[in-house]
Amino acid sequence: MQYIAVATICLLAGGACAAPAEIKYLNGDDLPKCPADADQAGECIKNIMNELIPRLRKGDPDLGIQPYDPFVIDRLSFQYSSGAVSGRISVRNVKLYGFAEHKIEKVNVKLDGDKVKLRIVSQLPKMNLLGNYKAEMLVNSLQLKPKGNFNVTLFDVENRVVTDGEFYNKDGRRFLRIKDIDVNPKIRDMIIKANGIFPDPELDELALNVANSYWRDIYGIILPETRESWAPIMLRLINEALTHVPIDQFIHGPE
Ligand SMILES: *[C@@H]1O[C@H](CO)[C@@H](O)[C@H](O)[C@H]1NC(C)=O
């Protein structure tokens, strides 16, 4: 069931997986085979993931996996509108450090015919995001055009990922395709650093103090609000990587 491990690496890396021209398949000869029984497979999949996550940190072009520590995002933009605040923010040259330190704590597998639901809980001691940002915002009737660098550090991230997928056959092999994904990270603490929010550095510092005091609220709004931007990208990248992972060879036949 290494396909699930690879899927999870892509999930945790925010979709660091892309397809090369020629399809090559993941070879899991040195990895354990998992029981076909869903109730027993979870522990085995967890061990495989904890083996593969540090191993593939530099990526594997043959498997369509980009390096994910740091994980680089060229550009991403979000539209935002709620109450008195609306606008658009785009980030560029973003580097995320820490993904390869992910420890999978628990994997739960539910099978229903060709459908599979995975629940994965993982822990990450620290994560660091660096990059540039640019925004156009309307706060009440005040127009802001902040632009600058940011450095966000997250501490003790607990990631809960739920995916719905289905098996399908191609070229006489069996594959998994993810149909839906939900990611729900909990964070113990966060430090936000940025410049360029206001032309005046003292106002910048004030704004950052506010942001650092209220990050829980900000984060609670931003994550669901931006889901439409990141979820489809994630799904596409994961599914591209999963085309490299025929699953039959990784599962024990029924006893
Ligand atoms: C980013 O911020 C963290 C925590 O505040 C700090 O330890 C780190 O050195 C900073 N990184 C850079 C590149 O400025």
Side-chain angles (χ1 to χ4, degrees), residues 128 130 151 153 191 193:
N128 191 222
L130 302 170
N151 171 2
T153 312
I191 299 175
K193 290 181 185 165

Side-chain angles (χ1 to χ4, degrees), residues 15-215:
C17 303
E22 190 195 335
I23 292 272
K24 290 213 177 108
Y25 294 125
L26 176 71
N27 180 347
D29 286 352
D30 62 334
L31 295 164
K33 286 205 189 318
C34 293
D37 183 342
D39 288 341
Q40 295 166 38
E43 184 71 14
C44 173
I45 295 167
K46 179 187 106 173
N47 293 336
I48 291 172
M49 291 190 316
N50 282 329
E51 175 76 32
L52 287 180
I53 288 171
R55 191 195 288 185
L56 292 172
R57 70 186 299 155
K58 296 215 156 73
D60 185 332
D62 286 344
L63 297 177
I65 299 171
Q66 292 171 25
Y68 50 81
D69 204 349
F71 177 55
V72 180
I73 301 167
D74 290 337
R75 174 198 285 262
L76 201 58
S77 62
F78 308 108
Q79 200 88 34
Y80 179 66
S81 173
S82 169
V85 183
S86 67
R88 178 171 193 82
I89 177 161
S90 52
V91 293
R92 298 188 68 163
N93 307 319
V94 182
K95 286 198 173 118
L96 280 89
Y97 294 89
F99 270 127
E101 310 303 325
H102 250 108
K103 280 276 171 299
I104 308 297
E105 306 266 300
K106 198 167 162 45
V107 177
N108 178 277
V109 186
K110 277 226 165 61
L111 292 175
D112 177 13
D114 274 347
K115 296 197 162 63
V116 57
K117 188 185 267 288
L118 289 175
R119 288 193 174 81
I120 299 151
V121 181
S122 66
Q123 300 277 349
L124 191 58
K126 190 173 151 185
M127 203 167 136
N128 191 222
L129 291 91
L130 302 170
N132 310 323
Y133 77 96
K134 201 166 140 186
E136 282 182 34
M137 309 192 74
L138 208 56
V139 183
N140 289 319
S141 54
L142 179 67
Q143 191 154 22
L144 296 174
K145 287 193 176 177
K147 183 180 164 188
N149 306 317
F150 65 87
N151 171 2
V152 176
T153 312
L154 314 176
F155 297 95
D156 295 327
V157 182
E158 186 187 88
N159 237 327
R160 284 170 188 270
V161 177
V162 181
T163 66
D164 283 302
E166 65 183 16
F167 299 114
Y168 66 98
N169 296 313
K170 206 185 98 202
D171 301 334
R173 296 167 188 261
R174 215 135 195 259
F175 295 89
L176 175 70
R177 177 194 293 130
I178 303 291
K179 310 279 278 186
D180 194 23
I181 178 173
D182 200 17
V183 186
N184 199 349
K186 287 207 176 81
I187 299 164
R188 181 181 56 79
D189 202 8
M190 184 192 279
I191 299 175
I192 305 166
K193 290 181 185 165
N195 60 30
I197 305 170
F198 294 104
D200 179 346
E202 278 175 32
L203 272 181
D204 250 11
E205 204 177 313
L206 187 71
L208 279 182
N209 284 338
V210 172
N212 279 300
S213 304
Y214 291 97
W215 69 260

